[in-house]
Amino acid sequence: MAEALLVVEGVVKEYGERVRTRALAGVDLALDKGELAALIGPSGSGKSTLLNIIGLLDRPTSGRVVLAGTDTTGLDERALTALRARTLGFVFQFHYLLPAFTALENVMLPAWGDVGLPSRAMREQAQELLRAVGLGDRMGYRTTDLSGGQQQRVAIARALSRRPALVLADEPTGNLDTASADEVFGLMRRFNRESGTTFLVVTHDPRIADRCDRIVEIVDGRVRSDRRGPSR
Amino acid sequence: MPFEWFVALRYLREEKAQTALILAAVSVGVSVIVFLSALINGLQVSLIDRTLGSQPHVTVHVPREVPRPLVYAVGDRAIARDVQAASQRLRSIDQWPAVMAEVERVPGVTAVSPMILGAGFAVRSDAKEPVMVRGVDPERYGAIIDVQRRMVAGRFDVSGGDVAIGSTLASDLGVGVGDKIRVVTTEGVEDVVTVAGVFTLGTEGADRTWLFTSLRHAQSLYALPGGATTLELKVADVFDAERAAGDVRDRTGLDADSWMKLNAELLAGLDAQSSSKWMIQFFVVVAVALGIASVLVVSVVQKSREIGILRAVGTSPQRVLRVFLIQGGVLGLAGSLVGSGLGGLFAKLFEGLARGADGAPRFPVQLDGALFLTATGIATGVGLLAAVIPARRAARLDPATVIRNG
Ligand SMILES: Nc1ncnc2c1ncn2[C@@H]1O[C@H](COP(=O)(O)OP(=O)(O)OP(=O)(O)O)[C@@H](O)[C@H]1O
Ligand SMILES: [Mg+2]
């Protein structure tokens, strides 16, 4: 077995002060480098919650997350932001692009915001990524002038722009028609194969889940099953 | 371009209506400040100029003779006393050249001129007018009050027995350059002198009663050979005059009055005017600050989703903070540039509108680089300050909440 990129140990997440909702009731999960894993489960089972915790956007009530060898438990906001910027990429269900910026600028922003100043290399890499997701002719478009599928492809390009070790995608195809969904998932599959980027994809779509290497199912905040997908 | 600047400017450009509105508010505020300052400063400077056009900054003279009681009180007994006011004779400053050298060493003093100042009458046929005789050394006196520049006829030439008189006095006596008049002093000395020049200093008192002659001539008119009753001083900073006067008092034991003391009422008026100016400006600044802050607060709320995304893709809270601080600063700076221009323009227009008979502006305005710099600095600082609260709110936004709630 390859070395673990992500280790989630006994993660519990409770929401609310007086009425406590237990969104995660002790999750253990490990992801290896280069895996393309699907995270499935009924609505309200805690998928998004788990993804946000892995994505260092939220902290667990108890348990720990070790990402790329770093135990994130005691880290402050600054350190979390830095770790997030360098190891993680995000794709969300609703295209979380910035409408005030062009497709190219959206892809450049993560690196730009981390380093401070833009560089030629940054721009060239962003252009290359946009060409790779088939949007070479749409780089200067405002994201509001792009279709849903195109926007999601920009989001993938942005998620990959820092060459993250792990990309977290929360229902990336949830809003797309079948053809666009296939196209978007196909891109993730391709980047996974070509560059070895690890993906954790939340999906409700069994066709998509079946095309992953591994399917993790959570129900009521616990891992119910964890199996290798048919594609491997 | 640095990330923060790029994002800040892009959002300012995106929200054109908001940006235009706040820029207009800042511009109006700054133009009010610039206009008001230019007007009031101009008014004050011209008032002070006019006052100092016929007054030295500091006048040094022998202390008035104090009345001496005839019987001194002793121990615990109260004794009825008879106190009579002492008569005030015209007295020369003892060793005035030495005193003058001492006074010249007082920090801030730029010029000293000795003078004999006495009262008398100017007589011409049946006209007899009271005058203040001022015996001066024209070279030195020119540094205190530039009479030569204020001549309406003839020259400020008081060598020999010649005199220069105020324009009102000249017309009261019905004399002009070259005419002869008789001067009678309080010492009972009389002399016939030639009017060499007529001046106007712009103050009624000076133009009606002043009569300049040479120091030497005045010494003989007042029987004070080699004497000088008064030293007149000019200081580098006119508002430093009272301090300089104090120094002179301490060093010489003589009386020294600054123009500030002699014009206390004028200065109190100017002070009140300045305070009201500051008050108005303060409230304008507060209004501008509130305007910037409220627009930025709204904009942070509107953009919370986008801020959350920026945070999620790895932008640090510090950078988010700076984005909004930059917006505040840029709004303040841009607004103040426009406002300074507008305010300056208004001030100039206003100055052009009201002109006196001689074509000189009745409300002279004072526009200088310092005013623009201050206005710009204040507005930029206020913009930055006003942005602090919204910026901190933006920086504290929790990306997870934003992502979750879409
Ligand atoms: N901020 C919150 N405050 C309180 N409860 C929350 C919060 N976020 C999520 N929950 C609760 O936690 C549970 C898990 O929510 P989560 O969004 O992780 O589910 P999910 O598996 O992503 O569902 P879906 O498939 O519908 O997106 C739900 O019961 C939800 O109501
Ligand atoms: Mg969800």
Side-chain angles (χ1 to χ4, degrees):
Chain A
M1 193 168 109
E3 69 183 284
L5 172 67
L6 168 75
V7 179
V8 174
E9 272 178 16
V11 162
V12 173
K13 179 68 183 179
E14 290 177 341
Y15 285 114
E17 295 288 303
R18 273 171 295 149
V19 188
R20 293 179 89 64
T21 317
R22 200 159 239 239
L24 296 176
V27 173
D28 296 296
L29 181 70
L31 279 183
D32 292 339
K33 275 203 177 116
E35 277 192 297
L36 174 58
L39 186 61
I40 62 170
S43 186
S45 55
K47 304 183 294 294
S48 297
T49 303
L50 180 59
L51 217 63
N52 283 342
I53 287 173
I54 294 173
L56 311 178
L57 294 170
D58 214 348
R59 290 171 194 262
T61 310
S62 65
R64 62 188 197 124
V65 176
V66 180
L67 185 62
T70 309
D71 188 342
T72 62
T73 311
L75 299 184
D76 64 5
E77 190 59 38
R78 183 187 284 263
L80 288 181
T81 302
L83 187 59
R84 189 158 67 220
R86 275 150 211 176
T87 49
L88 294 172
F90 293 89
V91 183
F92 303 98
Q93 172 174 6
F94 307 103
H95 338 284
Y96 278 102
L97 297 174
L98 299 168
F101 298 88
T102 65
L104 182 65
E105 287 162 352
N106 264 280
V107 177
M108 285 173 72
L109 278 178
W112 195 343
D114 186 32
V115 179
L117 286 166
S119 66
R120 175 185 289 269
M122 212 180 266
R123 173 174 293 270
E124 280 168 359
Q125 194 227 359
Q127 286 167 339
E128 198 178 303
L129 275 169
L130 280 170
R131 276 193 289 272
V133 298
L135 292 174
D137 54 345
R138 292 285 191 279
M139 297 198 210
Y141 280 50
R142 286 297 174 91
T143 58
T144 40
D145 297 335
L146 298 176
S147 75
Q150 288 172 333
Q151 288 185 40
Q152 207 58 317
R153 285 189 271 158
V154 174
I156 289 174
R158 182 181 68 186
L160 292 166
S161 68
R162 310 287 334 266
R163 302 188 194 289
L166 174 61
V167 172
L168 303 170
D170 198 348
E171 302 185 36
T173 59
N175 266 8
L176 304 179
D177 61 55
T178 319
S180 305
D182 281 350
E183 204 172 9
V184 165
F185 181 78
L187 277 173
M188 294 198 272
R189 180 80 267 183
R190 202 181 96 209
F191 281 115
N192 169 255
R193 292 234 163 91
E194 286 175 2
S195 59
T197 310
T198 311
F199 283 81
L200 182 58
V201 184
V202 172
T203 183
H204 282 289
D205 186 343
R207 291 184 324 110
I208 301 267
D210 282 345
R211 289 160 66 190
C212 293
D213 306 335
R214 180 177 167 190
I215 301 173
V216 180
E217 183 184 15
I218 62 172
V219 176
D220 289 341
R222 279 177 217 283
V223 177
R224 144 92 69 83
S225 69
D226 187 348
R227 59 198 149 83
R228 297 281 141 188
S231 67
R232 222 181 236 183
Chain B
M1 196 188 298
F3 175 82
E4 296 91 327
W5 282 92
F6 177 70
V7 174
L9 295 180
R10 173 62 58 88
Y11 276 120
L12 285 180
R13 216 175 70 197
E14 279 301 293
E15 291 155 2
K16 285 197 179 59
Q18 268 178 18
T19 305
L21 210 65
I22 188 92
L23 275 183
V26 178
S27 304
V28 168
V30 171
S31 68
V32 166
I33 291 180
V34 167
F35 177 71
L36 203 67
S37 293
L39 190 64
I40 291 186
N41 292 351
L43 229 51
Q44 298 197 340
V45 165
S46 82
L47 263 173
I48 290 173
D49 270 359
R50 212 171 300 165
T51 306
L52 293 181
S54 59
Q55 266 186 27
H57 296 167
V58 178
T59 311
V60 184
H61 51 85
V62 182
R64 292 175 65 83
E65 289 184 36
V66 284
R68 274 188 295 271
L70 297 177
V71 183
Y72 291 93
V74 275
D76 51 357
R77 279 181 301 159
I79 294 174
R81 305 184 310 187
D82 185 13
V83 181
Q84 280 181 342
S87 67
Q88 302 292 329
R89 297 179 290 118
L90 204 57
R91 286 187 300 157
S92 174
I93 296 172
D94 200 23
Q95 313 269 333
W96 67 263
V99 173
M100 188 163 90
E102 176 72 20
V103 166
E104 269 171 340
R105 280 197 294 273
V106 170
V109 171
T110 55
V112 183
S113 173
M115 180 193 287
I116 287 218
L117 179 57
F121 289 96
V123 185
R124 156 94 177 182
S125 56
D126 50 344
K128 186 177 183 188
E129 300 290 338
V131 292
M132 300 294 294
V133 176
R134 306 174 104 81
V136 298
D137 168 356
E139 291 282 296
R140 285 188 163 266
Y141 193 72
I144 307 292
I145 294 169
D146 191 359
V147 186
Q148 179 57 48
R149 221 166 44 86
R150 314 285 196 89
M151 300 308 288
V152 289
R155 304 188 38 237
F156 184 58
D157 178 8
V158 295
S159 56
D162 290 352
V163 299
I165 58 176
S167 53
T168 315
L169 180 61
S171 67
D172 285 353
L173 292 172
V175 297
V177 174
D179 293 341
K180 290 199 182 314
I181 56 174
R182 206 147 47 84
V183 177
V184 187
T185 72
T186 45
E187 299 297 303
V189 181
E190 272 193 45
D191 197 9
V192 173
V193 295
T194 306
V195 176
V198 176
F199 58 83
T200 175
L201 293 183
T203 41
E204 189 53 26
D207 293 345
R208 182 177 293 281
T209 63
W210 284 19
L211 182 148
F212 283 105
T213 185
S214 67
L215 184 60
R216 181 168 294 278
H217 188 213
Q219 284 165 349
S220 69
L221 283 175
Y222 288 93
L224 290 172
T229 60
T230 308
L231 296 180
E232 293 195 336
L233 272 58
K234 190 174 180 121
V235 294
D237 170 11
V238 295
F239 290 104
D240 191 33
E242 185 51 44
R243 197 269 317 151
D247 277 13
V248 170
R249 276 193 294 271
D250 292 346
R251 286 186 184 219
T252 63
L254 296 170
D255 265 8
D257 294 326
S258 71
W259 72 275
M260 300 164 79
K261 190 170 148 198
L262 301 177
N263 296 277
E265 254 174 70
L266 170 73
L267 285 177
L270 295 187
D271 261 0
Q273 204 180 39
S274 292
S275 320
S276 57
K277 178 185 80 173
W278 289 121
M279 285 281 278
I280 295 174
Q281 296 188 341
F282 173 75
F283 285 114
V284 169
V285 165
V286 168
V288 166
L290 289 179
I292 296 183
S294 62
V295 168
L296 286 182
V297 165
V298 170
S299 136
V300 166
V301 172
Q302 280 176 344
K303 285 204 279 287
S304 52
R305 180 186 144 104
E306 275 130 82
I307 296 165
I309 299 166
L310 281 172
R311 294 278 289 103
V313 302
T315 309
S316 67
Q318 288 74 25
R319 281 203 206 277
V320 172
L321 185 85
R322 266 177 262 149
V323 165
F324 285 90
L325 290 183
I326 288 172
Q327 289 194 346
V330 165
L331 286 171
L333 179 66
S336 65
L337 290 181
V338 177
S340 292
L342 280 180
L345 197 69
F346 287 152
K348 277 290 167 206
L349 285 179
F350 189 77
E351 189 180 51
L353 275 184
R355 284 193 183 279
D358 56 349
R362 249 187 302 159
F363 302 105
V365 300
Q366 174 104 339
L367 283 172
D368 50 30
L371 174 59
F372 290 125
L373 271 182
T374 319
T376 308
I378 289 179
T380 311
V382 163
L384 273 175
L385 273 182
V388 166
I389 291 173
R392 292 177 58 149
R393 266 178 82 159
R396 275 205 303 267
L397 272 181
D398 172 25
T401 314
V402 175
I403 301 294
R404 216 166 22 233
N405 301 338

